[in-house]
Amino acid sequence: MQGLQNPLLGPVRHIRSISNPFVQILHTGNNHWVCISSVGCSDGIVNLYDSLYHNVISKEAEEQAINLVGTNSFPGLIVVPIQQQKNGSDCRVFAAAFATALVYGVSPSLLEFDTTKLRDHLCECLKGRKLEMSPLL
């Protein structure tokens, strides 16, 4: 991966391909954070990793995904079944855990994170300026 980008960045219109995948944490505009990625996807396909998914993909997340892949080849977000948060405030740390796993080449759908350690782990990673895999159960 080439580095971090501000998750509140507006339209960037970068055409991504299999050879140039992305991982992006997005703010949906509803006090909620998700992760999207084209890692391991066919051209134009974008996976959605949402720890609070309730059969609705936010319009904001879909619009931001379109900005990342371009409008010519975007069929929509594909919801990946992943661990769900058990409260109303862990979406940020889950989005970071999903993004980090993807960067390390591991599908978040295969993982179960230790939610009691996610916040402290992310804080230590940010302090140390190095993202490492989040603690698992």
Side-chain angles (χ1 to χ4, degrees), residues 5-73:
Q5 174 175 280
N6 185 338
L8 298 176
L9 192 64
V12 291
R13 300 273 181 224
H14 290 281
I15 304 301
R16 303 296 176 153
S17 65
I18 294 171
S19 62
N20 191 18
F22 68 87
V23 175
Q24 182 73 42
I25 296 173
L26 303 176
H27 184 259
T28 67
N30 298 316
N31 199 28
H32 184 56
W33 297 82
V34 299
C35 176
I36 63 171
S37 176
S38 65
V39 171
C41 297
S42 303
D43 277 347
I45 302 295
V46 179
N47 286 331
L48 170 67
Y49 301 89
D50 184 349
S51 63
L52 196 61
Y53 181 68
H54 295 296
N55 296 322
V56 176
I57 297 173
S58 79
K59 184 173 176 63
E60 291 83 1
E62 195 158 45
E63 287 173 354
Q64 290 178 69
I66 290 169
N67 285 331
L68 287 165
V69 297
T71 57
N72 295 341
S73 61

